[in-house]
Amino acid sequence: MNLIVDRIEGKIAVCEQEDMKMINIPLADLPDDIHEGSILKIIDGAYIIDTAAEAERMEKLRALKNSIFNE
């Protein structure tokens, strides 16, 4: 299961699950370099940042923006 960090509120990361439900995860349970937009994988009970999936998502968002605004 992948999660996307929607926002960080204090000591909590609000994350969107694949089913679009939001869950709260304590920042203490996440990698130090977590940020809004990070994509997390759960591997052996640990949260790991998926940098490849994050880069792919950002490229898709850029392409969508460019197609909307004809850039």
Side-chain angles (χ1 to χ4, degrees):
M1 170 177 36
N2 287 341
L3 303 167
I4 299 174
V5 178
D6 181 67
R7 63 189 178 277
I8 296 174
E9 297 180 348
K11 295 182 180 183
I12 299 290
V14 180
C15 301
E16 182 178 347
Q17 300 180 129
E18 291 173 343
D19 62 3
M20 300 183 69
K21 291 183 182 177
M22 304 302 270
I23 62 169
N24 296 332
I25 303 172
L27 287 178
D29 294 346
L30 300 173
D32 291 336
D33 51 347
I34 198 79
H35 60 274
E36 292 175 359
S38 290
I39 297 179
L40 302 170
K41 290 178 134 184
I42 302 171
I43 300 176
D44 296 329
Y47 296 99
I48 308 296
I49 297 175
D50 187 340
T51 54
E54 186 177 332
E56 182 180 327
R57 180 174 178 265
M58 292 305 294
E59 184 55 39
K60 286 180 182 179
L61 291 173
R62 266 191 285 278
L64 178 62
K65 180 187 133 206
N66 291 342
S67 71
I68 291 171
F69 295 107
N70 296 316
E71 294 179 352

